[in-house]
Amino acid sequence: MTELGMTRRATMRGLALGGALILAPGALAAVAAPDRRSATTAALLRTTFPHRALTDDFYRSVADRYLKEVAADPAAMKAHDLGLAELDGSHIAPFAELPAVIRRSLVEKVDQLPFFKALQWRGAEMIYRDPAVWKLVGYEGSSVEYGGYLERGFNDIDWLPKAAAGGQG
Amino acid sequence: MTSFALNDSSVFVVIGSGAAGGTLANELAQRGHKVVCLEAGPRLQMADIVNDEAEMFGKLTWLDRRMATGKPDPNFPVWNCKTVGGTTMHWTAACPRLEPHEMRALTTYGVMPDTTLVDWPVTPEELEPWYQKAELRLGVTGKNGLPFLPPGNNFKVLEAGARKCGYTDIDTHHMAINSIDRDNRPACHQLGFCTSGCAIGAKWSTLYTEIPKAEETGRFELRPECMATGIALNDAGRVESVTYLHNGKSVTQKARAVAVAGNVVETTRLLLNTKSARFPNGLANSSGLVGRNYMRHFTIQVMGVMPGKVHFYRQTHLAGVVRDERGHRPERGFAGGFLINTVPFTPEILAKNMLIGGWGHELTDILAKYDYLAGMLLTGEDPPQLSNAITLHATERDGYGLPVPVVHYEDHPNTIAMKNYAWKAGRRIYEALGAEQIVEMGDYIPATHNMGTARMGTDPKASVCTPYGQTHDVPNLFVSDGSLFPTSGGCNPTLTIVALVLRQAEHIDQALKAGRL
């Protein structure tokens, strides 16, 4: 943690706690504006779970659902906002508008913080429980209604070396 | 349905309805005894079992508060079930037997520092006929003329790679999953959701085998959603009743004798929390060993991004085994051995397991190749250590108002050496087939094999129970689950639990008929 970073985080904490708006330029929008919060969260989700085939709208909708859940816990929302402020505070551009490689390096600085761990865990559930994502990665899900995979490819592998494929049964 | 009066002191009370409790209760009822079975969880219907891991996790899992120190997840150290059928709802149904050399662990491995290694007080020869009975009862594949399950994709990859590495003891494993229609249950349809409850009942679970069969005898009463909280003794030092919570009310059932089968953690908690002038440190704990020597098997994984599609989720979770590393060959740098099994993960569980190692493209490059993944789970022997123990928290209480169990566990150096060897062995198997990428995953899955906390033995100072699972301290109190294991062996424990329970049931039956209980 740099001294500058410490100062900025302390400032953000003061902001969130006291509501007194003594502003650093990059920090303004991160705490308050719902649009910025949503955009930064969506960009953070894409940086954490980057799939080229998933659209910005997809990450935005996951972000909005996530924020709605976090809103139920003011302390968690405060921590989330502080984390976003850290990401948006680069003084170059808002996090969501930065190139992927820079976004990655910024996330590396916060990836041990509880707000990020929480987003990772719940984000993994929201993204990888989504049937649209299953389709993308090639997972077929519930099978009982189709009689299982017994007649639907449970043993259809065709690329193994012939000599080795013995099998017992 | 049969029901017994609370003041009926002729009933045998079994606490728990899983592999141990459900089987013991049915066996005693079949042998003519009256049985009340208490189960903390609810009774599901077949229609409640769906192909959705997240939903079934919520329906099946023991989610009351638990804590841990040492290696396990501090809030979720053990993954077992709270439902009628217990952890037979979640188990993969793998049924290996203990190897004779594992039952003679001290003799085979010699003295190992910081362990309490012993030989089993039951010999392999004594246990053999009970293994046979257990395999018949569970319909284990590849035994008694029952066919093996057919080989599927994830197994075929494991087998092909393993053969290239020189392994030969490979098949679709001995499974308590129907390979043909039998026992009024269908053959396996390869649903791919074994650990979320089998929606068609092809996998043996006491929910739809032992429990309904016990009910048919007219001598058995199941009481779901009844959480045992205490066991009372009379002046002679014998159990006279069991107290439980049902819908928030405390109820006491008189009992002729009691067997506890709470999958180790709950067995330990009930005994330690039942304190009296006679047993100030917990019931049947004059040895001080209740809760000690807690064992689990390590469960590490290796995933391979293979050159072609595998669709590893399209079949039974544990779809086959390589046994060649099971033996005791000290030249590998450790005592005991391990099994190599297949395992699949849903995208969600795979992502969560991999998150521990990283995020970003490291994670998503693997997930993007999800349908090319093959997976294996490696599990090996865990030597008993006195310091690995389940205790009760001094102040924290769960929703029942009971002390929260605290699981303390650390790997023994032997386990660390075995794991490091096992990761390499697993990696070689997928590399032999030209895997594009290999992911080694750590020992993150909460323990499902729980053993050792009320070990059997002949010396009351060095063990909690007799070789029949009768507590040394209280003649009509039995322990029936994996708590009894003096050592863990290198394989899944359920078949051994069932074999021990069938043997215990005969012992109890004879004692009851002779008027000794």
Side-chain angles (χ1 to χ4, degrees):
Chain A
M1 180 68 63
T2 63
E3 206 172 310
L4 184 68
M6 280 299 272
T7 309
R8 186 167 63 239
R9 188 175 299 176
T11 306
M12 293 316 303
R13 194 166 292 128
L15 269 178
L17 290 173
L21 296 176
I22 309 157
L23 296 175
L28 169 58
V31 177
D35 258 14
R36 170 68 79 86
R37 183 191 265 157
S38 170
T40 307
T41 304
L44 180 56
L45 282 164
R46 186 186 268 289
T47 310
T48 311
F49 304 104
H51 287 282
R52 267 181 212 93
L54 294 176
T55 63
D56 287 341
D57 282 350
F58 173 85
Y59 288 105
R60 187 76 177 226
S61 87
V62 175
D64 288 343
R65 277 188 290 140
Y66 180 73
L67 289 170
K68 211 169 157 186
E69 285 185 8
V70 177
D73 179 353
M77 188 53 113
K78 195 188 291 174
H80 185 76
D81 278 341
L82 283 167
L84 298 189
E86 189 85 12
L87 295 169
D88 273 328
S90 71
H91 302 283
I92 307 165
F95 179 75
E97 290 163 29
L98 294 168
V101 61
I102 297 179
R103 274 193 274 127
R104 191 180 160 89
S105 69
L106 288 171
V107 174
E108 278 166 2
K109 291 180 187 160
V110 301
D111 72 359
Q112 297 307 310
L113 297 181
F115 98 92
F116 181 74
K117 299 263 181 207
L119 173 128
Q120 256 189 325
W121 197 254
R122 188 66 185 127
E125 289 176 349
M126 288 178 154
I127 293 170
Y128 299 109
R129 233 176 243 179
D130 187 323
V133 176
W134 291 356
K135 207 168 175 183
L136 177 76
V137 302
Y139 174 60
E140 294 160 291
S142 177
S143 75
V144 63
E145 62 272 46
Y146 308 109
Y149 291 109
L150 186 62
E151 308 293 337
R152 298 190 309 128
F154 91 103
N155 61 352
D156 66 355
I157 197 162
D158 58 4
W159 55 266
L160 284 169
K162 283 279 179 286
Q168 175 151 16
Chain B
M1 284 291 169
T2 308
S3 68
F4 296 106
L6 294 175
N7 62 2
D8 184 345
S9 59
S10 68
V11 299
F12 194 107
V13 174
V14 176
I15 301 168
S17 68
T23 306
L24 178 67
N26 182 28
E27 191 62 16
L28 292 176
Q30 298 293 339
R31 288 171 180 264
H33 307 291
K34 294 190 277 185
V35 180
V36 169
C37 181
L38 304 177
E39 165 56 53
R43 184 176 194 160
L44 298 184
Q45 303 301 314
M46 288 308 281
D48 295 321
I49 305 172
V50 295
N51 282 178
D52 183 320
E53 283 200 345
E55 184 176 339
M56 294 313 295
F57 182 85
K59 281 183 183 172
L60 298 177
T61 309
W62 194 290
L63 296 170
D64 296 308
R65 188 154 177 228
R66 286 168 174 173
M67 297 164 74
T69 53
K71 184 180 160 45
D73 181 307
N75 300 306
F76 193 68
V78 170
W79 188 354
N80 63 357
C81 294
K82 185 179 177 181
T83 185
V84 174
T87 308
T88 64
M89 296 301 287
H90 170 69
W91 78 314
T92 60
C95 284
R97 293 182 179 193
L98 287 172
E99 293 287 341
H101 75 265
E102 292 169 343
M103 294 181 69
R104 294 190 280 262
L106 180 60
T107 303
T108 311
Y109 308 150
V111 173
M112 194 189 292
D114 302 319
T115 71
T116 55
L117 274 183
V118 287
D119 291 352
W120 280 50
V122 184
T123 66
E125 296 72 27
E126 278 175 85
L127 199 55
E128 212 282 335
W130 299 102
Y131 268 136
Q132 279 190 26
K133 286 184 173 65
E135 285 161 351
L136 270 170
R137 193 175 192 115
L138 272 55
V140 174
T141 60
K143 298 276 181 175
N144 303 300
L146 288 173
F148 281 94
L149 286 162
N153 293 346
N154 201 21
F155 168 69
K156 287 181 178 183
V157 174
L158 178 70
E159 184 190 27
R163 290 200 189 281
K164 285 200 163 208
C165 293
Y167 294 131
T168 56
D169 191 359
I170 309 164
D171 56 46
T172 60
H173 212 355
H174 301 297
M175 303 295 293
I177 296 178
N178 277 356
S179 54
I180 54 171
D181 295 354
R182 59 169 285 286
D183 196 27
N184 295 316
R185 295 181 288 117
C188 175
H189 277 248
Q190 304 289 345
L191 304 189
F193 286 85
C194 302
T195 58
S196 298
C198 180
I200 62 170
K203 179 182 84 170
W204 181 84
S205 169
T206 53
L207 173 67
Y208 41 76
T209 57
E210 304 294 325
I211 300 293
K213 283 174 190 172
E215 285 173 329
E216 282 165 22
T217 66
R219 289 183 288 273
F220 170 87
E221 183 188 353
L222 176 75
R223 293 187 193 156
E225 295 172 70
C226 292
M227 175 69 192
T229 54
I231 297 172
L233 304 186
N234 64 16
D235 292 341
R238 295 173 65 88
V239 170
E240 63 172 11
S241 65
V242 177
T243 299
Y244 58 89
L245 281 168
H246 179 60
N247 292 333
K249 285 210 309 227
S250 186
V251 180
T252 296
Q253 171 69 54
K254 293 278 186 199
R256 179 176 189 173
V258 172
V260 189
N263 199 337
V264 173
V265 180
E266 293 310 317
T267 298
T268 301
R269 176 158 74 158
L270 181 60
L271 294 179
L272 290 183
N273 198 37
T274 301
K275 293 188 175 117
S276 59
R278 195 187 292 259
F279 294 109
N281 300 317
L283 187 58
N285 194 23
S286 66
S287 65
L289 290 173
V290 171
R292 298 292 196 125
N293 295 305
Y294 170 65
M295 297 175 285
R296 25 164 273 171
H297 293 121
F298 70 76
T299 53
I300 60 174
Q301 303 99 52
V302 176
M303 302 277 129
V305 179
M306 304 312 294
K309 289 193 177 182
V310 181
H311 295 289
F312 69 168
Y313 57 86
R314 283 184 186 168
Q315 66 173 129
T316 49
H317 279 207
L318 206 160
V321 65
V322 178
R323 302 187 187 86
D324 297 67
E325 298 283 6
R326 174 81 180 276
H328 172 59
R329 295 198 297 280
E331 65 273 20
R332 291 176 299 182
F334 51 86
F338 60 95
L339 288 173
I340 308 172
N341 307 291
T342 67
V343 70
F345 291 109
T346 60
E348 177 191 339
I349 301 299
L350 180 66
K352 283 179 168 176
N353 284 349
M354 288 184 55
L355 276 176
I356 293 155
W359 48 269
H361 282 289
E362 283 165 58
L363 174 77
T364 53
D365 286 354
I366 302 289
L367 278 154
K369 289 273 190 149
Y370 178 79
D371 42 1
Y372 289 76
L373 286 175
M376 69 175 84
L377 183 83
L378 305 100
T379 64
E381 176 148 14
D382 179 18
Q385 302 176 76
L386 200 60
S387 54
N388 281 344
I390 300 170
T391 54
L392 304 183
H393 198 281
T395 52
E396 294 292 328
R397 298 292 178 263
D398 71 3
Y400 294 108
L402 295 171
V404 173
V406 183
V407 176
H408 176 77
Y409 179 87
E410 293 285 7
D411 281 335
H412 188 273
N414 193 73
T415 301
I416 293 168
M418 197 190 303
K419 275 200 271 197
N420 288 332
Y421 177 96
W423 265 310
K424 287 194 196 102
R427 170 179 276 278
R428 274 176 60 223
I429 288 174
Y430 290 150
E431 280 173 351
L433 296 172
E436 288 170 20
Q437 200 179 338
I438 309 267
V439 186
E440 292 176 5
M441 301 203 308
D443 202 2
Y444 306 133
I445 300 176
T448 53
H449 302 171
N450 301 297
M451 295 159 287
T453 46
R455 56 171 26 189
M456 299 187 282
T458 49
D459 177 1
K461 290 193 187 65
S463 57
V464 177
C465 293
T466 71
Y468 286 100
Q470 188 171 23
T471 60
H472 289 300
D473 292 345
V474 183
N476 62 341
L477 176 65
F478 293 81
V479 172
S480 305
D481 58 14
S483 311
L484 296 173
F485 287 28
T487 65
S488 72
C491 73
N492 317 57
T494 302
L495 182 76
T496 305
I497 292 171
V498 173
L500 287 174
V501 152
L502 294 176
R503 179 171 165 277
Q504 181 182 61
E506 185 188 69
H507 177 82
I508 291 171
D509 175 52
Q510 287 168 355
L512 287 169
K513 283 177 180 157
R516 291 197 301 271
L517 276 178

